[in-house]
Amino acid sequence: MANDARLRMSYEAFARAAAPVQGALAALGKAVDDAGLDKAFTELIKLRASQINGCAFCLQLHLNIARKLGVPGEKLDLVGVWRETDVFSPRERAALAWTEALTDLSDEAARAAAAAALPEHFTPDEILFLTVAIGTINQWNRIAIGLSFPPPVPKRAAPGPA
């Protein structure tokens, strides 16, 4: 587009220019990790919120991380349609419902139903940190979308001799 009025900034430029903000958001993520929620599990939540919000940067970033953590490909492929498949555990399903309810705040009934299901699968502390994880990825999505961060394309090995 010749007259593209979107703001454009790389993640690296953002991290340099807004180091205190980047550091604070990173600290929230570390607090969730330190609280004991499984990192592979929280990557699914980050993927789902990023899909809903349409954040290409966060979606690619968290796909890259999830792959490195060994999240099964079928979960990565199907997280957007998790209700239609049986590859997710009841705990994961409860977390994904909570993720959707907190990412799209327009459906109060869905939020109430998702909240009611949480105590069956999570301790009160886990619910707190799960909620923080969802809030944090939603904040990152808004920053990355607002500043049009380009997706972090994973480096591919150069093709070998044929």
Side-chain angles (χ1 to χ4, degrees):
M1 287 184 209
N3 292 326
D4 190 348
R6 292 185 300 170
L7 297 173
R8 292 191 184 276
M9 180 181 281
S10 70
Y11 170 77
E12 293 77 12
F14 166 80
R16 282 190 305 275
V21 173
Q22 189 277 342
L25 289 169
L28 283 171
K30 183 174 179 348
V32 170
D33 291 345
D34 291 349
L37 286 180
D38 180 66
K39 181 84 171 131
F41 172 81
T42 58
E43 289 305 311
L44 290 174
I45 291 151
K46 293 171 186 179
L47 288 170
R48 185 63 190 124
S50 298
Q51 287 174 334
I52 294 166
N53 288 323
C55 184
F57 174 85
C58 293
L59 185 59
Q60 185 64 65
L61 175 72
H62 293 290
L63 279 168
N64 295 348
I65 293 169
R67 287 182 184 115
K68 286 180 184 174
L69 292 171
V71 175
E74 59 271 8
K75 287 187 177 185
L76 300 178
D77 294 341
L78 297 171
V79 70
V81 291
W82 62 270
R83 284 183 177 87
E84 310 303 320
T85 180
D86 62 358
V87 301
F88 298 95
S89 71
R91 179 176 164 95
E92 290 168 332
R93 297 171 77 75
L96 290 166
W98 189 230
T99 300
E100 290 181 356
L102 294 184
T103 300
D104 177 1
L105 297 173
S106 66
D107 189 340
E108 290 181 36
R111 193 166 54 256
L118 290 173
E120 182 179 339
H121 305 284
F122 298 94
T123 68
D125 284 350
E126 288 174 326
I127 293 169
L128 169 70
F129 285 103
L130 176 62
T131 302
V132 169
I134 295 164
T136 303
I137 189 58
N138 274 283
Q139 182 59 55
W140 273 117
N141 289 165
R142 280 143 182 80
I143 291 168
I145 291 168
L147 298 176
S148 301
F149 290 176
V153 179
K155 291 180 175 58
R156 304 204 190 281

